[in-house]
Amino acid sequence: MNAIKKIVLVILGAVAVGSVILVGLKYTTANASGEWANLADQLNPFVRQTQVYVKTTDPISVNGYGTATYQQEAVTEDGNTRPIEFNGLSVLKVDHYLKLTNKGAHVITYEEVSEQSIPAAALNKLKKY
């Protein structure tokens, strides 16, 4: 009976420590972009999927296959900002609006949207960029 209690306590301790680490990672990557933040947010169950908006700029790099990398400020529906890095299949048109589906720093998809479909708080921030 003592062995079972020890096993249960070890498992509960591991779950508690793992949860603390994952919650800490959520707040550590909240204002980060890049590969490490992308991977951490993609795998972290405490980071929820949301939509953010960006106004396209020139890419920071384009590889030999034409894939463009963008690094810019994204705006949530309520006007909060966070840095985001994402890849376009090609170079995107400048000054167009995109809605990104993301999980923290991890961008899942993007689509071009009209200015009218962007919430007012987000649009006001995007017009400053």
Side-chain angles (χ1 to χ4, degrees), residues 2-53:
N2 254 349
I4 293 174
K5 281 185 179 180
K6 287 182 182 178
I7 292 172
V8 169
L9 286 175
V10 167
I11 291 172
L12 288 175
V15 168
V17 168
S19 295
V20 168
I21 290 171
L22 289 174
V23 169
L25 273 176
K26 176 183 176 182
Y27 292 104
T28 300
T29 61
N31 286 315
S33 64
E35 289 184 39
W36 186 86
N38 182 339
L39 180 63
D41 286 346
Q42 179 182 7
L43 299 176
N44 191 339
F46 293 109
V47 177
R48 62 186 182 92
Q49 183 173 315
T50 60
Q51 281 81 37
V52 294
Y53 299 89

Side-chain angles (χ1 to χ4, degrees), residues 49-104:
Q49 183 173 315
T50 60
Q51 281 81 37
V52 294
Y53 299 89
V54 297
K55 186 174 183 180
T56 56
T57 60
D58 289 321
I60 59 170
S61 67
V62 180
N63 69 15
Y65 299 104
T67 303
T69 300
Y70 295 87
Q71 192 173 43
Q72 53 194 117
E73 287 293 314
V75 182
T76 63
E77 292 178 351
D78 47 351
N80 296 323
T81 61
R82 72 156 294 137
I84 198 104
E85 185 174 317
F86 65 98
N87 294 322
L89 295 176
S90 61
V91 175
L92 302 172
K93 296 176 185 175
V94 176
D95 291 334
H96 285 241
Y97 295 103
L98 298 180
K99 179 170 81 170
L100 309 176
T101 302
N102 67 311
K103 189 169 181 262

